[in-house]
Amino acid sequence: MDATTKPLRIPPEMATYAEKHGIFDLIQTLVRNLVIDKPADPIQYLIEMLKRESTEVPKVMLLGPPASGKRTIAKKLCEHIGAIHITASDILKDTSVLTRAALEFTEKNQEIPRDLWIKLIQQRLSKVDCVRRGWVLEAIPKSREEALCLQEAGIAPEHVVMLQAPKSVLIERSLGKRIDPVTGDVYHVTFMCPESAEVAQRLEKPQDLISEDVIFLQMQAYQREAHALQRTYQNCLKIVDADQAHVDAFAQVLTYVLSRQRSAAPHTPRIILFGPPGSGKSLQATLIAKKYELVNICCGELLKAVAADESSMGELIKPFLESGRQVPDNVVLQILVERLSRLDCTSQGWVLHGFPRDVEQAEALQESKFSPSRVVFLEMTDGVAIERLTLGAIDPVTGERYHSLHQQLQCNPRHSEAEVQKRLQEYWSHVDALQAFYPQAVRVRADQDPHTVFECLESRLVGRLPKVLPDRA
């Protein structure tokens, strides 16, 4: 087909399937690994990759000055995301020829040559556990040169976290550090005490506890390399303030690691807006559609438009609309599927509101292969919704809505307090089930200025959905 004379029609279910299963990202990952690893047998290499449970595994570097909490956060992070925690001492525990060669240098208090050190890291990260579950490198790399060597060796992180805190805080933490001899966990006499009294009693000072002067020199050495490391990893770097409760610092790190970088894969937005009456679904849908050139579909307006034409479907639903009865779900779905199947929706994307109203309708929409890529619930209390609708009025000349009394304005009968209460009760009777049906939906407060709501809503739409944590049960 000549796409210059007639647009190439791609069935919408193809794009939906590709996005659902991450086909574009999968191909990108396979090609990237082929180029980096350069296997002798590319076909067999790809087959082995596809046999894994997941080709998208965590690849994280956690950097920071001494006593910034790297060990504590790295351990908790690995517990949550299922990755392998790698430290410099772990790398030297192997019994390989490379490890024995490296230990000869450490026994003489000599620095391990960079080329040998990079090979050791490569050797550890190529093992089955790291390949299948991903890794978190703690305090690796230590310099820009080491980072560049890792990149040349094909070791590229997806997320780099750099902890930072004032020197005075770091020195105090370092001097107050305590170790649990049983688990090896790190605590502090002031900043992070163990919850268990039994653990608190057995804490010991680290055997390698160093003086304040030495700590200061180590921090200076780190600071000399920190800025260069930031520039090296600027495209995937997140700086986290470590001068706060460790649970808060960890929450920021976890949120970032679960985030995804912007994908180059083609994407057709498919958005559903939920919200109680008066939450501003129509306005927000209009703003989204205008900015991103999407098709704005209000289910109620769509039914009215169909009823206004002289088609057989229009004649079928007209009696329902005139009498105020609800149009049967199967008829609504048939009309909606026909609209979503048109070329403008499949090529530009769409934002839908007014449907589905319950889980049964949501299931029917999903079975029709029109699952949304984003779902948003606009949240508002009943009191605010009632105030907005009962005090709102319409200019009969222009059709504009206002929130004030004027002699030219007239009230909509559907916005009487009794009618609004009825609609609110109907909405709240289904919202919990709908939120359970769309577990990755985002929630936005709608009782704010409309443009503030739009900015918040937009920020949730443009970024990729976070990774789902693996089941650790």
Side-chain angles (χ1 to χ4, degrees), residues 12-13 16-17 20-21 270 272 274 329 333 336-337 340 350 352 355-375 433-440:
E13 54 267 22
T16 304
Y17 177 85
K20 178 180 179 181
H21 296 281
R270 304 180 307 279
I272 294 181
F274 291 101
D329 286 355
L333 187 65
L336 188 60
V337 166
L340 295 176
W350 43 264
L352 171 65
F355 189 95
R357 295 179 180 272
D358 53 43
V359 172
E360 288 73 20
Q361 292 181 350
E363 291 174 344
L365 183 64
Q366 185 164 297
E367 290 172 0
S368 301
K369 309 303 181 184
F370 287 97
S371 57
S373 58
R374 292 291 189 278
V375 177
L434 284 168
Q435 289 177 346
F437 187 80
Y438 296 114
Q440 287 194 298

Side-chain angles (χ1 to χ4, degrees), residues 99-387:
T99 307
R100 290 196 295 270
L103 290 175
E104 291 179 3
F105 288 95
T106 59
E107 289 170 358
K108 299 175 183 178
N109 293 323
Q110 296 178 355
E111 185 177 350
I112 300 174
R114 184 176 293 124
D115 290 346
L116 177 57
W117 180 239
I118 298 301
K119 290 179 181 178
L120 284 168
I121 298 174
Q122 247 184 324
Q123 176 181 266
R124 180 63 187 92
L125 298 186
S126 64
K127 291 191 174 182
V128 175
D129 56 350
C130 288
V131 170
R132 291 185 178 275
R133 296 169 55 185
W135 41 262
V136 175
L137 284 177
E138 179 197 325
I140 299 174
K142 294 185 178 295
S143 66
R144 174 177 169 83
E145 291 73 19
E146 187 176 323
L148 294 176
C149 290
L150 288 174
Q151 290 180 348
E152 291 177 3
I155 300 172
E158 292 183 352
H159 300 87
V160 177
V161 178
M162 185 172 285
L163 304 174
Q164 64 179 14
K167 290 182 179 178
S168 59
V169 173
L170 295 174
I171 291 174
E172 184 179 353
R173 285 187 177 183
S174 184
L175 295 176
K177 184 187 296 185
R178 297 293 183 268
I179 304 293
D180 183 346
V182 177
T183 64
D185 291 335
V186 179
Y187 295 95
H188 191 277
V189 294
T190 304
F191 295 102
M192 193 177 70
C193 297
E195 297 180 359
S196 169
E198 180 183 353
V199 174
Q201 290 179 355
R202 68 180 185 228
L203 293 182
E204 300 175 352
K205 288 185 178 182
Q207 295 180 354
D208 57 350
L209 187 64
I210 52 182
S211 66
E212 184 174 337
D213 292 337
V214 175
I215 296 170
F216 189 78
L217 292 174
Q218 290 179 347
M219 290 179 183
Q220 284 185 324
Y222 170 80
Q223 290 300 331
R224 283 195 295 269
E225 298 291 346
H227 185 65
L229 285 169
Q230 289 178 16
R231 287 189 286 108
T232 304
Y233 294 116
Q234 58 184 334
N235 293 328
C236 58
L237 176 67
K238 172 73 172 179
I239 297 178
V240 175
D241 183 11
D243 187 17
Q244 57 180 322
H246 70 279
V247 291
D248 296 329
F250 171 71
Q252 293 181 33
V253 174
L254 179 62
T255 300
Y256 177 64
V257 169
L258 293 179
S259 67
R260 293 175 172 177
Q261 298 178 1
R262 186 177 295 276
S263 173
H267 173 64
T268 303
R270 304 180 307 279
I271 304 167
I272 294 181
L273 295 182
F274 291 101
S279 59
K281 297 186 295 295
S282 297
L283 174 60
Q284 297 303 326
T286 301
L287 294 173
I288 295 171
K290 182 178 180 181
K291 181 165 184 177
Y292 294 99
E293 299 182 349
L294 308 183
V295 180
N296 183 2
I297 300 178
C298 172
C299 187
E301 296 299 325
L302 177 62
L303 294 178
K304 291 178 183 178
V306 173
D309 62 30
E310 298 180 354
S311 65
S312 58
M313 186 63 73
E315 294 298 324
L316 175 64
I317 67 173
K318 187 180 294 183
F320 290 95
L321 298 180
E322 291 176 347
S323 63
R325 291 179 294 159
Q326 188 172 348
V327 180
D329 286 355
N330 61 332
V331 177
V332 176
L333 187 65
Q334 184 178 345
I335 294 172
L336 188 60
V337 166
E338 188 278 330
R339 181 67 187 90
L340 295 176
S341 300
R342 294 182 191 174
L343 184 60
D344 57 350
C345 286
T346 56
S347 59
Q348 298 173 226
W350 43 264
V351 52
L352 171 65
H353 52 108
F355 189 95
R357 295 179 180 272
D358 53 43
V359 172
E360 288 73 20
Q361 292 181 350
E363 291 174 344
L365 183 64
Q366 185 164 297
E367 290 172 0
S368 301
K369 309 303 181 184
F370 287 97
S371 57
S373 58
R374 292 291 189 278
V375 177
V376 178
F377 285 86
L378 300 175
E379 298 189 330
M380 174 183 289
T381 62
D382 288 0
V384 176
I386 292 172
E387 180 183 344

